[in-house]
């Protein structure tokens, strides 16, 4: 009997479902409805395209800082639950750098929980950086992790997963459903009954290369560019190189000039990519596996985690707008959405 429906089988839908179960909801009472499921590829399904790791990409408002921290501190539990690092989630060293020092509130927050947090000495900073840190990050093999998360929820716990495209959010209410949680990502822009005009894409392009010699992450944030190197765990040596942050660009196309720019920037930031490449030390020697683009589900005003009362005492909770940080902040977002979904209300 489906009392709870989660719309969306991206990382936000899965973290939210996990949190509902942790808070006592029987998995048998939960159905996940989604147009796209793990293994699918579509520009309207962002989660498989993420880099994806825990970085310092997020802002410094109190909610976001808390979502990051809660997620970072809960990923060990997720890894253990899904069967250890081969589920597609592992810890990796990260080297993160900024052109301009981030706000103190951000630094203080990161310092309070990141494992092996250390500030980088000025003469060890890469070109273009004035501040940097090293720490242990969480890295995701996104397609593998999503597939394993689905298997855990569906086969090990008994959640129902249903492929269906909804044109209106009201279609998510099955005969016994009291609560729907809307985790539709970029889909929230046009789903009937939601149609949130504040949702917009931040397009990214990444280049995936084979790099057995790289086992770490490197980042450089400047006013105009986001340059990143992310090791994909248990992926047969894949390394993700990025990237771009193009607001309001909906295209799934990829562009050769962006690929060239990404290769130039990432190899300048992390020269070891070329220096220790077994196939040779020029950009042309890199083995490119694929080039892809994805749409980060951004939202003016930030994420929407909000509860609405709809007809006949039914509840609709929204949980979308994770932009470039669904993996690293999404557990915290899912915890809040599940809390809102379950809290007692005089309106019921
Ligand atoms: C290039 C790139 C790099 C990134 N790197 C990172 C990173 O390193 N770390 C990080 O934390 N994040 C990263 N992100 C961001 C991250 O990928 C997103 O925040 C996250 O995937 C959003 O997840 P979601 O579940 O909200 O959306 P999605 O993954 O898009 O899932 C939405 C789900 O809702 C379903 N849906 C939507 N509309 C409907 C409908 N009408 N009917 C039925 N189902 C519907 C879809 O089918 C899908 O199942 C990156 C993103 C990109 C593009």
């Amino acid at each position: 009997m489906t009392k709870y429906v989660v719309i969306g089988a991206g990382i936000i839908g899965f973290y939210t479902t996990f949190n509902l179960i942790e808070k006592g909801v029987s998995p048998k009472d939960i159905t996940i409805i989604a147009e796209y499921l793990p293994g699918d590829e579509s520009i309207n399904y962002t989660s498989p395209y993420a880099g994806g790791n825990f970085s310092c990409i997020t802002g410094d408002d109190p909610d976001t800082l808390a979502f990051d921290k809660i997620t970072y501190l809960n990923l060990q539990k997720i890894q253990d639950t899904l069967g250890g690092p081969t589920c597609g989630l592992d810890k990796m060293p990260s080297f993160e750098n900024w052109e301009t020092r981030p706000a103190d509130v951000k630094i203080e927050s990161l310092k309070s929980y990141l494992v092996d947090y250390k500030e980088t000495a000025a003469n060890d900073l890469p070109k273009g950086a004035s501040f940097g840190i090293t720490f242990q990050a969480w890295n995701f093999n996104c397609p593998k992790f999503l597939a394993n998360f689905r298997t855990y929820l569906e086969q090990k716990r008994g959640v129902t997963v249903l492929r269906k495209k909804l044109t209106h959010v009201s279609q998510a209410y099955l005969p016994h459903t009291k609560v729907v949680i809307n985790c539709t990502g970029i889909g929230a822009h046009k789903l009937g009954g939601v149609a949130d005009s504040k949702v917009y894409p931040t397009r990214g392009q990444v280049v995936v290369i084979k790099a057995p010699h790289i086992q770490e992450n490197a980042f450089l944030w400047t006013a105009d560019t986001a340059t990143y190197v992310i090791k994909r765990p248990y992926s047969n040596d894949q390394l993700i190189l990025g990237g771009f942050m193009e607001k309001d660009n909906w295209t799934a196309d990829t562009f050769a000039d962006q690929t060239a720019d990404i290769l130039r920037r990432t190899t300048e930031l992390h020269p070891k990519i070329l220096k220790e490449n077994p196939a040779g030390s020029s950009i042309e020697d890199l083995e490119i596996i694929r080039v892809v683009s994805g749409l980060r589900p951004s939202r003016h005003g930030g994420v929407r985690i909000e509860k609405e009362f709809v007809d006949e005492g039914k509840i609709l909770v929204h949980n979308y707008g994770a932009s470039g940080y669904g993996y690293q902040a999404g557990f915290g977002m899912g915890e809040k959405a599940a809390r809102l979904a379950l809290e007692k209300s005089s309106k019921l």
Side-chain angles (χ1 to χ4, degrees), residues 7-13 33-37 44-55 57 140 164-167 183-188 191 202-206 219 228 230 244 293-297 319-329:
I7 319 175
I11 188 60
I12 299 300
I33 296 179
E35 180 180 11
Y36 297 106
L37 298 169
N44 295 314
Y45 184 27
T46 307
S47 292
Y49 299 105
N53 83 337
F54 188 100
S55 73
I57 186 176
F140 297 81
K164 191 174 172 189
K165 176 176 178 147
L166 306 176
T167 52
C183 306
T184 50
I186 201 75
L191 175 63
T202 303
R203 179 187 168 279
Q205 176 163 317
V206 296
F219 283 76
Y228 54 85
I230 300 178
F244 280 85
S293 71
L295 305 182
R296 300 176 182 90
N319 185 11
Y320 59 82
S323 191
Y325 42 85
Y327 284 86
Q328 74 168 66

Side-chain angles (χ1 to χ4, degrees), residues 185-292:
I186 201 75
H189 185 258
K190 71 171 185 208
L191 175 63
V194 179
D196 187 341
S197 58
K198 291 185 181 164
V199 171
Y200 66 93
T202 303
R203 179 187 168 279
Q205 176 163 317
V206 296
V207 182
V208 184
I209 63 165
K210 193 167 175 75
H213 55 300
I214 305 293
Q215 299 296 333
E216 64 277 342
N217 310 307
F219 283 76
L220 176 61
W221 305 106
T222 74
D224 307 320
T225 56
T227 304
Y228 54 85
V229 173
I230 300 178
K231 184 69 189 177
R232 176 163 276 186
Y234 299 94
S235 66
N236 203 13
D237 299 325
Q238 290 179 31
L239 189 69
I240 316 291
L241 308 178
F244 280 85
M245 299 279 205
E246 293 182 305
K247 284 190 176 166
D248 264 321
N249 185 344
W250 290 86
T251 188
D253 297 338
T254 56
F255 300 96
D257 60 338
Q258 293 196 354
T259 296
D261 191 41
I262 288 169
L263 291 173
R264 181 188 56 76
R265 280 189 279 129
T266 51
T267 52
E268 270 174 23
L269 169 64
H270 203 37
K272 184 178 165 187
I273 296 173
L274 293 181
K275 266 193 206 147
E276 296 183 21
N277 182 22
S281 58
S282 74
I283 284 184
E284 291 69 35
D285 294 321
L286 294 173
E287 184 185 336
I288 296 180
I289 299 170
R290 66 183 169 275
V291 178
V292 292

Side-chain angles (χ1 to χ4, degrees), residues 7 166-174 180 191-194 311 316:
I7 319 175
L166 306 176
T167 52
H168 196 280
V169 72
S170 59
Q171 296 160 350
Y173 291 87
L174 303 174
V180 167
L191 175 63
V194 179
D311 293 345
L316 174 60

